[in-house]
Amino acid sequence: MANADFGWEQVVGNGDGSGNGFDDANNSYAYSMTIFSRYLYVGTGNSNGCEVWRSSHCTTWNQVIGGETGGVNGFRDSTNIRAYSMSVFGR
């Protein structure tokens, strides 16, 4: 769904195959974003521990922190419920 006034387009949920909240209803916010090595990274707020997702073209997303990666949400601590900020280290 594009917003003609601002040029924004929804790239997660409702038609892209991932569902709202990256298919996790507990992902309530996209708190942070950064670009690193051709990927857009998104950090979520999640009541079961934050998640981090990435995409190189915003049509396919891969979870890099959280349950689908074989780990635990929240950087292995489920009480870390928000990824408030991101920064590329050493640049």
Side-chain angles (χ1 to χ4, degrees), residues 28-74:
S28 55
Y29 295 96
Y31 274 105
S32 57
M33 295 181 201
T34 196
I35 294 183
F36 176 69
S37 190
R38 296 184 181 202
Y39 286 93
L40 172 63
Y41 287 81
V42 177
T44 69
N46 185 311
S47 59
N48 295 318
C50 66
E51 297 176 355
V52 176
W53 292 77
R54 76 178 188 174
S55 179
S56 61
H57 43 72
C58 294
T59 56
T60 302
W61 292 85
N62 298 301
Q63 189 174 13
V64 293
I65 298 294
E68 288 187 8
T69 62
V72 176
N73 288 2

Side-chain angles (χ1 to χ4, degrees), residues 5 11-13 15-17 20 24 30 32 34 36 38 45 48 51 58 61 66 68 71 77-78 83-85 89:
D5 294 334
V11 295
V12 174
D16 76 342
N20 289 333
D24 185 340
S32 57
T34 196
F36 176 69
R38 296 184 181 202
N48 295 318
E51 297 176 355
C58 294
W61 292 85
E68 288 187 8
D77 182 347
S78 62
Y84 274 123
S85 64
F89 182 76

